[in-house]
Amino acid sequence: MQLAYHDNGTGSVVVLLHGFPLDRSLWKAQVAGLQGRYRVIVPDLRGHGDSPSPAGSYPMEAMADDVAGLLEALKIGEPVVLGGLSMGGYVALAFAARYADRLRGLMLINTKASADSPEAAQGRETQAKEVEAAGSADPVVDKMIPKLFAESTRKQRPEVIEVVVEQMRKTSVDGVAGALRGMALRPDRTTDLAGIKVPTLVLTGEEDQLIPIEESRRMMETLPKGELIVIPKAGHLTPLENPEATTTAILKYLDALG
Ligand code: MLT
Protein backbone atom coordinates (compact mmCIF):
# COMPACT_ATOMS: atom_id res chain seq x y z
CA MET A 1 0.00 0.00 0.00
CA GLN A 2 1.57 3.27 -1.12
CA LEU A 3 0.53 6.08 1.17
CA ALA A 4 0.18 9.74 0.21
CA TYR A 5 2.39 11.90 2.45
CA HIS A 6 4.17 15.19 2.98
CA ASP A 7 7.85 15.25 3.86
CA ASN A 8 9.14 18.56 5.24
CA GLY A 9 12.36 19.80 6.81
CA THR A 10 15.66 18.14 7.61
CA GLY A 11 17.07 16.52 10.71
CA SER A 12 16.07 13.47 12.67
CA VAL A 13 12.79 11.98 11.52
CA VAL A 14 9.40 12.53 13.18
CA VAL A 15 6.34 10.76 11.76
CA LEU A 16 2.85 11.94 12.76
CA LEU A 17 -0.29 9.84 12.21
CA HIS A 18 -3.71 11.46 12.10
CA GLY A 19 -6.96 10.19 13.66
CA PHE A 20 -10.23 8.92 12.21
CA PRO A 21 -11.65 9.98 9.76
CA LEU A 22 -9.20 12.80 9.18
CA ASP A 23 -6.05 13.32 7.10
CA ARG A 24 -2.49 14.62 7.38
CA SER A 25 -3.64 18.26 7.45
CA LEU A 26 -4.42 17.67 11.16
CA TRP A 27 -0.70 18.32 11.75
CA LYS A 28 -0.35 21.51 9.69
CA ALA A 29 0.65 23.70 12.65
CA GLN A 30 3.02 21.08 14.08
CA VAL A 31 4.71 20.58 10.69
CA ALA A 32 5.23 24.35 10.47
CA GLY A 33 6.61 24.49 14.01
CA LEU A 34 8.88 21.45 13.78
CA GLN A 35 10.28 21.51 10.26
CA GLY A 36 13.01 24.04 11.10
CA ARG A 37 14.67 21.44 13.33
CA TYR A 38 13.28 18.06 12.27
CA ARG A 39 12.29 16.11 9.17
CA VAL A 40 8.55 15.74 9.63
CA ILE A 41 6.70 13.08 7.64
CA VAL A 42 2.90 13.13 7.69
CA PRO A 43 1.16 10.33 5.79
CA ASP A 44 -2.51 9.86 5.02
CA LEU A 45 -3.36 6.48 6.53
CA ARG A 46 -5.07 3.99 4.20
CA GLY A 47 -8.68 4.89 3.52
CA HIS A 48 -8.05 8.55 4.38
CA GLY A 49 -7.01 11.73 2.55
CA ASP A 50 -5.27 11.00 -0.75
CA SER A 51 -4.23 7.42 0.10
CA PRO A 52 -5.96 4.42 -1.50
CA SER A 53 -9.15 3.08 0.12
CA PRO A 54 -9.28 -0.67 -0.45
CA ALA A 55 -12.46 -2.56 0.47
CA GLY A 56 -12.43 -4.65 3.66
CA SER A 57 -11.34 -3.98 7.22
CA TYR A 58 -8.11 -2.15 8.09
CA PRO A 59 -6.40 -3.81 11.07
CA MET A 60 -4.15 -1.39 12.97
CA GLU A 61 -1.24 -3.77 12.25
CA ALA A 62 -1.82 -3.42 8.49
CA MET A 63 -1.80 0.35 8.86
CA ALA A 64 1.44 0.10 10.87
CA ASP A 65 2.92 -2.01 8.05
CA ASP A 66 1.90 0.74 5.60
CA VAL A 67 3.90 3.24 7.69
CA ALA A 68 6.91 0.89 7.84
CA GLY A 69 6.61 0.51 4.05
CA LEU A 70 6.65 4.28 3.62
CA LEU A 71 9.84 4.56 5.72
CA GLU A 72 11.43 1.84 3.60
CA ALA A 73 10.38 3.57 0.37
CA LEU A 74 11.99 6.77 1.69
CA LYS A 75 15.13 4.77 2.63
CA ILE A 76 14.88 5.85 6.25
CA GLY A 77 16.84 3.20 8.15
CA GLU A 78 17.51 5.05 11.38
CA PRO A 79 15.04 4.88 14.29
CA VAL A 80 12.33 7.56 14.18
CA VAL A 81 10.00 9.29 16.59
CA LEU A 82 6.45 8.18 15.87
CA GLY A 83 3.39 10.07 17.09
CA GLY A 84 -0.27 9.29 16.57
CA LEU A 85 -3.57 10.88 17.52
CA SER A 86 -6.42 8.60 18.59
CA MET A 87 -6.67 5.98 15.80
CA GLY A 88 -3.19 7.13 14.76
CA GLY A 89 -2.12 6.27 18.32
CA TYR A 90 -3.60 2.77 17.97
CA VAL A 91 -1.51 2.43 14.80
CA ALA A 92 1.58 3.80 16.59
CA LEU A 93 1.14 1.19 19.35
CA ALA A 94 0.81 -1.57 16.73
CA PHE A 95 3.99 -0.20 15.10
CA ALA A 96 5.78 -0.24 18.48
CA ALA A 97 4.77 -3.89 18.95
CA ARG A 98 6.01 -4.91 15.49
CA TYR A 99 8.99 -2.62 14.91
CA ALA A 100 10.32 -1.67 18.35
CA ASP A 101 13.88 -1.33 17.03
CA ARG A 102 12.77 1.29 14.51
CA LEU A 103 11.65 3.71 17.22
CA ARG A 104 13.61 6.22 19.25
CA GLY A 105 10.54 7.90 20.69
CA LEU A 106 6.78 7.57 20.81
CA MET A 107 4.00 10.14 21.21
CA LEU A 108 0.56 8.90 22.19
CA ILE A 109 -1.83 11.79 21.62
CA ASN A 110 -5.54 11.75 22.62
CA THR A 111 -5.39 7.98 22.46
CA LYS A 112 -5.56 4.84 24.58
CA ALA A 113 -4.06 1.36 24.78
CA SER A 114 -7.25 -0.48 25.73
CA ALA A 115 -9.38 -2.43 23.24
CA ASP A 116 -13.06 -1.84 22.44
CA SER A 117 -15.62 -3.41 24.75
CA PRO A 118 -17.83 -5.94 22.92
CA GLU A 119 -20.58 -3.28 22.87
CA ALA A 120 -18.25 -0.65 21.41
CA ALA A 121 -17.05 -3.10 18.73
CA GLN A 122 -20.68 -3.92 17.89
CA GLY A 123 -21.43 -0.19 17.73
CA ARG A 124 -18.65 0.27 15.16
CA GLU A 125 -20.12 -2.51 12.98
CA THR A 126 -23.52 -0.81 13.17
CA GLN A 127 -21.91 2.50 12.17
CA ALA A 128 -20.02 0.86 9.29
CA LYS A 129 -23.32 -0.53 7.99
CA GLU A 130 -25.00 2.88 8.37
CA VAL A 131 -22.23 4.51 6.34
CA GLU A 132 -22.50 1.82 3.67
CA ALA A 133 -26.29 2.24 3.51
CA ALA A 134 -26.01 6.05 3.31
CA GLY A 135 -23.25 5.91 0.69
CA SER A 136 -21.35 8.60 2.62
CA ALA A 137 -19.43 9.26 5.84
CA ASP A 138 -22.24 11.53 7.09
CA PRO A 139 -23.77 9.22 9.74
CA VAL A 140 -20.40 8.90 11.51
CA VAL A 141 -19.52 12.56 11.11
CA ASP A 142 -22.87 13.66 12.57
CA LYS A 143 -22.33 11.42 15.57
CA MET A 144 -18.73 12.41 16.20
CA ILE A 145 -18.78 16.19 15.75
CA PRO A 146 -20.68 17.09 18.94
CA LYS A 147 -18.11 15.16 21.01
CA LEU A 148 -14.87 16.26 19.36
CA PHE A 149 -14.23 19.80 20.53
CA ALA A 150 -13.60 21.79 23.68
CA GLU A 151 -16.08 24.44 24.68
CA SER A 152 -13.60 27.20 23.83
CA THR A 153 -13.13 25.84 20.30
CA ARG A 154 -16.88 25.76 19.77
CA LYS A 155 -17.28 29.33 21.03
CA GLN A 156 -14.13 31.06 19.86
CA ARG A 157 -12.87 29.10 16.83
CA PRO A 158 -15.89 27.69 14.97
CA GLU A 159 -13.92 27.86 11.72
CA VAL A 160 -11.76 24.97 12.98
CA ILE A 161 -14.90 22.84 13.28
CA GLU A 162 -16.02 23.71 9.75
CA VAL A 163 -12.71 22.56 8.30
CA VAL A 164 -12.85 19.26 10.22
CA VAL A 165 -16.45 18.57 9.17
CA GLU A 166 -15.58 19.16 5.53
CA GLN A 167 -12.53 16.91 5.77
CA MET A 168 -14.45 14.10 7.47
CA ARG A 169 -17.34 14.20 5.01
CA LYS A 170 -14.88 13.70 2.14
CA THR A 171 -13.64 10.37 3.55
CA SER A 172 -14.82 7.49 1.37
CA VAL A 173 -17.34 4.87 2.48
CA ASP A 174 -14.72 2.12 2.16
CA GLY A 175 -12.26 4.21 4.17
CA VAL A 176 -14.67 4.91 7.03
CA ALA A 177 -16.06 1.36 7.16
CA GLY A 178 -12.60 -0.20 6.86
CA ALA A 179 -11.18 1.89 9.69
CA LEU A 180 -14.21 1.29 11.95
CA ARG A 181 -13.94 -2.48 11.46
CA GLY A 182 -10.17 -2.36 11.91
CA MET A 183 -10.42 -0.40 15.17
CA ALA A 184 -13.00 -2.92 16.47
CA LEU A 185 -10.47 -5.70 15.86
CA ARG A 186 -7.61 -4.13 17.74
CA PRO A 187 -6.19 -6.01 20.74
CA ASP A 188 -5.73 -4.59 24.21
CA ARG A 189 -2.19 -3.21 24.24
CA THR A 190 -2.15 -2.14 27.89
CA THR A 191 0.34 -4.83 28.82
CA ASP A 192 2.58 -3.83 25.89
CA LEU A 193 3.15 -0.45 27.50
CA ALA A 194 5.43 -1.83 30.22
CA GLY A 195 7.76 -3.15 27.48
CA ILE A 196 8.10 0.13 25.57
CA LYS A 197 11.67 1.18 26.20
CA VAL A 198 11.75 4.55 24.46
CA PRO A 199 10.75 7.83 26.12
CA THR A 200 7.04 8.26 25.47
CA LEU A 201 5.07 11.49 25.52
CA VAL A 202 1.42 11.02 26.44
CA LEU A 203 -0.42 14.17 25.43
CA THR A 204 -4.12 14.88 25.64
CA GLY A 205 -6.69 17.67 25.76
CA GLU A 206 -8.18 18.79 29.05
CA GLU A 207 -11.71 18.43 27.62
CA ASP A 208 -11.40 15.23 25.58
CA GLN A 209 -14.85 13.62 25.79
CA LEU A 210 -13.99 10.61 23.64
CA ILE A 211 -10.90 9.45 25.55
CA PRO A 212 -10.96 10.50 29.20
CA ILE A 213 -7.81 11.86 30.83
CA GLU A 214 -7.76 8.82 33.16
CA GLU A 215 -6.86 6.64 30.15
CA SER A 216 -3.86 8.88 29.46
CA ARG A 217 -2.87 8.87 33.12
CA ARG A 218 -3.01 5.07 33.26
CA MET A 219 -0.81 4.81 30.17
CA MET A 220 1.73 7.23 31.60
CA GLU A 221 1.89 5.25 34.86
CA THR A 222 2.47 1.93 33.04
CA LEU A 223 5.09 3.24 30.60
CA PRO A 224 8.66 2.87 31.93
CA LYS A 225 9.59 6.27 30.47
CA GLY A 226 6.23 8.00 30.20
CA GLU A 227 5.49 11.70 30.60
CA LEU A 228 1.97 13.16 30.59
CA ILE A 229 1.05 16.61 29.32
CA VAL A 230 -2.54 17.84 29.47
CA ILE A 231 -3.25 20.71 27.10
CA PRO A 232 -5.86 23.31 28.12
CA LYS A 233 -8.53 24.62 25.73
CA ALA A 234 -8.51 21.38 23.76
CA GLY A 235 -10.87 18.45 23.38
CA HIS A 236 -10.16 15.36 21.26
CA LEU A 237 -8.33 17.22 18.47
CA THR A 238 -5.63 18.84 20.58
CA PRO A 239 -3.17 19.61 17.72
CA LEU A 240 -5.86 21.66 15.94
CA GLU A 241 -7.62 23.15 18.94
CA ASN A 242 -4.57 24.42 20.78
CA PRO A 243 -1.84 24.23 18.13
CA GLU A 244 0.66 26.50 19.91
CA ALA A 245 0.67 24.59 23.20
CA THR A 246 0.74 21.25 21.36
CA THR A 247 3.69 22.23 19.18
CA THR A 248 5.57 23.65 22.18
CA ALA A 249 5.05 20.41 24.16
CA ILE A 250 6.15 18.24 21.23
CA LEU A 251 9.24 20.37 20.57
CA LYS A 252 10.25 20.23 24.22
CA TYR A 253 9.90 16.44 24.21
CA LEU A 254 11.82 16.08 20.91
CA ASP A 255 14.61 18.43 21.96
CA ALA A 256 15.05 16.48 25.24
CA LEU A 257 15.50 13.26 23.22
CA GLY A 258 18.61 14.87 21.73
C1 MLT B 1 -10.27 8.90 16.37
O1 MLT B 1 -10.36 10.08 16.70
O2 MLT B 1 -9.32 8.48 15.69
C2 MLT B 1 -11.39 7.98 16.79
O3 MLT B 1 -12.32 8.69 17.55
C3 MLT B 1 -10.84 6.83 17.58
C4 MLT B 1 -11.92 5.87 18.00
O4 MLT B 1 -13.04 5.91 17.46
O5 MLT B 1 -11.64 5.03 18.86
Side-chain angles (χ1 to χ4, degrees), residues 18-22 85-90 110-112 116 124 127 144 148 168 180 183 186 210-211 236-237:
H18 61 79
F20 164 85
L22 301 165
L85 177 130
S86 202
M87 180 183 75
Y90 309 157
N110 298 83
T111 193
K112 60 187 173 189
D116 281 357
R124 294 208 201 261
Q127 284 197 330
M144 282 183 82
L148 278 181
M168 285 180 156
L180 283 168
M183 287 192 280
R186 75 189 194 284
L210 289 183
I211 301 188
H236 189 59
L237 300 185

Side-chain angles (χ1 to χ4, degrees), residues 46-240:
R46 68 166 68 185
H48 296 75
D50 296 325
S51 285
S53 299
S57 63
Y58 305 165
M60 301 298 102
E61 294 74 16
M63 287 171 142
D65 290 347
D66 293 342
V67 174
L70 174 61
L71 293 176
E72 264 152 44
L74 293 172
K75 301 198 174 6
I76 295 169
E78 77 271 15
V80 304
V81 177
L82 179 62
L85 177 130
S86 202
M87 180 183 75
Y90 309 157
V91 177
L93 283 170
F95 188 101
R98 283 162 108 78
Y99 306 104
D101 57 344
R102 299 178 74 167
L103 287 182
R104 70 182 196 97
L106 186 64
M107 297 187 285
L108 300 173
I109 303 176
N110 298 83
T111 193
K112 60 187 173 189
S114 53
D116 281 357
S117 65
E119 297 73 33
Q122 189 51 52
R124 294 208 201 261
E125 180 56 34
T126 305
Q127 284 197 330
K129 290 206 171 92
E130 282 169 8
V131 164
E132 285 166 343
S136 84
D138 291 357
V140 162
V141 179
D142 295 343
K143 214 166 265 166
M144 282 183 82
I145 284 296
K147 298 189 202 142
L148 278 181
F149 299 97
E151 174 109 7
S152 54
T153 307
R154 282 197 296 267
K155 289 208 171 121
Q156 289 155 28
R157 302 182 62 213
E159 69 284 0
V160 169
I161 303 178
E162 272 170 45
V163 171
V164 169
V165 170
E166 198 182 311
Q167 209 180 86
M168 285 180 156
R169 291 204 196 284
K170 277 200 299 220
T171 312
S172 69
V173 168
D174 281 338
V176 173
L180 283 168
R181 292 187 172 117
M183 287 192 280
L185 286 175
R186 75 189 194 284
D188 187 339
R189 294 206 176 273
T190 310
T191 53
D192 289 10
L193 295 174
I196 294 178
K197 295 193 175 71
V198 294
T200 302
L201 174 64
V202 180
L203 189 140
T204 196
E206 196 173 25
E207 296 174 54
D208 191 335
Q209 294 177 55
L210 289 183
I211 301 188
I213 288 180
E214 292 71 54
E215 291 268 4
S216 300
R217 201 162 284 133
R218 269 201 295 276
M219 287 201 297
M220 183 268 286
E221 282 163 4
T222 316
L223 287 158
K225 294 185 190 167
E227 173 196 3
L228 172 65
I229 295 186
V230 179
I231 303 284
K233 295 194 173 161
H236 189 59
L237 300 185
T238 300
L240 274 182

